[in-house]
Amino acid sequence: MNIAAEVPVTDLTVQDLVSSALSNFRAGDTVSTRTMLDAIRHADPACEDSDDHLVELIVMAAVGKTMGVIFDHRSPDERLPRLS
């Protein structure tokens, strides 16, 4: 007789998504915010968190694991100074 336990499927939290994306890197590595955002959005297309919030979580988690962070997630237009 085979008995299979029912395991509830739970949604990953945003922190889980960030940790999962960072798991491909080691201490001392440098991570790209653009690459991390792409990995998180690919893993959970329904994630409604803003890029800014995700970058905050990425930085906190990466620094805690002694990783460097390259902030390259802004489009070129967003990086240009605004002239008014």
Side-chain angles (χ1 to χ4, degrees):
M1 178 173 162
N2 291 336
I3 299 175
E6 288 188 32
V7 178
V9 177
T10 58
D11 292 331
L12 292 176
T13 65
V14 179
Q15 288 85 0
D16 292 335
L17 292 169
V18 170
S19 292
S20 177
L22 281 175
S23 69
N24 297 317
F25 299 92
R26 297 179 305 221
D29 285 349
T30 301
V31 297
S32 152
T33 54
R34 170 57 30 216
T35 300
M36 292 296 298
L37 288 171
D38 289 346
I40 292 166
R41 300 277 185 219
H42 179 72
D44 184 6
C47 178
E48 296 179 0
D49 289 61
S50 69
D51 283 356
D52 289 340
H53 181 244
L54 292 173
V55 167
E56 181 181 343
L57 295 174
I58 291 164
V59 170
M60 289 189 307
V63 169
K65 296 177 185 236
T66 64
M67 297 174 184
V69 180
I70 295 175
F71 295 89
D72 59 352
H73 63 285
R74 300 268 187 210
S75 71
D77 291 340
E78 290 178 286
R79 289 182 281 204
L80 294 175
R82 303 275 185 225
L83 298 176
S84 300

